[in-house]
Amino acid sequence: KYFGLYVLVVHTIQSERRFLWLVRLILFIAFLSCLNGFYQMKTGWDFQHEVSILEWQGIRRVSGSFNHPNNFAAFLSTVIFIAFYVRETKPWTILKFGFLPFYFFLLFLTGSRMAVILMVVIFIFSAFSAKSLRKRNIFFLVTVVLAWSVYRFYDWRYFDRLAKIVSGDLRLGYWVAGFDLIKKHPLFGWGINTFMEVSSQHVKMLSYNYARVYAHNFIIQVAVEIGMVGLGCFLF
């Protein structure tokens, strides 16, 4: 599937004009995903795949057209970056900034915290590292913070959860379990896609009463599954 997608892109996106139309298509698809997210909020399941809305500790988290809210959040945050940075004609600029409120609102409705935090961090880093884009980056950063502030009036609980992540929330426990698993099979790991299975038997996970979770840290999860050799090859 991914090889076919690669060939399709390489053999069709061969000019700046075609690339621009690809970007426009991505922005429009993201808008449709947002509408699907609203549909999921209303009915409890999404229109495309019939994935039910995720309810955890009394919080409803929208996943839209994706299988998990965090994946939807990663997609939307990437789309927001694309919308900010790709220069467009005036009509398309007006249209894409008309899409932005939908992107931000659904991003917050996913309940994902790291996607928003990393977005702010990237804009801050860009503002200090890229002088030519400093004004644009500061403007984008202010836009994100304003969207953040406006959403607080809609759902203040999101910001309580956001504050908890500073202390690690439950992630620290996942990471401790991950490091313990790495120590047991440091070179080649436990096998691809095994983290959920092997971590569920760890004493830390059992104390949380969680049967199947991912590491909430890409590097740790990769190291557990394919070991330091596999992680080193990937990083290289």
Side-chain angles (χ1 to χ4, degrees), residues 61-78:
R61 300 183 60 191
V62 174
S63 59
S65 304
F66 292 77
N67 63 342
H68 194 279
N70 288 345
N71 295 336
F72 190 26
F75 171 67
L76 287 175
S77 60
T78 304

Side-chain angles (χ1 to χ4, degrees), residues 149-161:
S149 303
V150 170
Y151 186 76
R152 181 178 178 84
F153 292 99
Y154 177 79
D155 184 8
W156 57 268
R157 293 181 304 170
Y158 176 81
F159 293 86
D160 287 345
R161 294 182 62 244

Side-chain angles (χ1 to χ4, degrees), residues 77 80-81 84-85 104 107-108 113-128 137-138 140-148 158 162:
S77 60
I80 289 171
F81 278 119
F84 276 156
Y85 284 110
F104 275 114
L107 174 61
F108 295 132
R113 297 166 290 178
M114 285 306 298
V116 178
I117 291 172
L118 288 175
M119 182 184 295
V120 172
V121 169
I122 289 170
F123 279 133
I124 293 173
F125 177 79
S126 300
F128 285 100
N137 287 329
I138 292 175
F140 296 155
L141 177 61
V142 170
T143 303
V144 173
V145 173
L146 282 175
W148 210 347
Y158 176 81
L162 199 62

Side-chain angles (χ1 to χ4, degrees), residues 85-233:
Y85 284 110
V86 175
R87 296 184 182 274
E88 267 287 7
T89 60
K90 190 174 182 179
W92 279 98
T93 300
I94 294 172
L95 184 62
K96 74 176 183 179
F97 279 102
F99 287 159
L100 272 177
F102 292 91
Y103 300 157
F104 275 114
F105 190 58
L106 267 296
L107 174 61
F108 295 132
L109 285 181
T110 64
S112 179
R113 297 166 290 178
M114 285 306 298
V116 178
I117 291 172
L118 288 175
M119 182 184 295
V120 172
V121 169
I122 289 170
F123 279 133
I124 293 173
F125 177 79
S126 300
F128 285 100
S129 62
K131 292 182 179 179
S132 61
L133 294 174
R134 183 162 295 170
K135 289 183 180 179
R136 287 170 61 86
N137 287 329
I138 292 175
F139 171 74
F140 296 155
L141 177 61
V142 170
T143 303
V144 173
V145 173
L146 282 175
W148 210 347
S149 303
V150 170
Y151 186 76
R152 181 178 178 84
F153 292 99
Y154 177 79
D155 184 8
W156 57 268
R157 293 181 304 170
Y158 176 81
F159 293 86
D160 287 345
R161 294 182 62 244
L162 199 62
K164 290 180 181 178
I165 207 170
V166 176
S167 60
D169 207 357
L170 296 176
R171 283 169 170 75
L172 292 180
Y174 306 157
W175 298 346
V176 168
F179 281 121
D180 287 346
L181 293 170
I182 292 170
K183 290 177 185 176
K184 293 180 180 179
H185 294 282
L187 291 180
F188 300 105
W190 294 75
I192 295 174
N193 290 332
T194 58
F195 182 87
M196 287 187 176
E197 191 65 36
V198 296
S199 65
S200 64
Q201 304 304 316
H202 191 278
V203 62
K204 201 77 176 176
M205 297 300 194
L206 292 174
S207 66
Y208 291 150
N209 197 27
Y210 282 160
R212 298 175 67 82
V213 297
Y214 64 99
H216 288 70
N217 183 296
F218 178 75
I219 300 297
I220 292 177
Q221 180 140 346
V222 169
V224 168
E225 294 187 354
I226 58 178
M228 301 310 294
V229 173
L231 177 61
C233 291

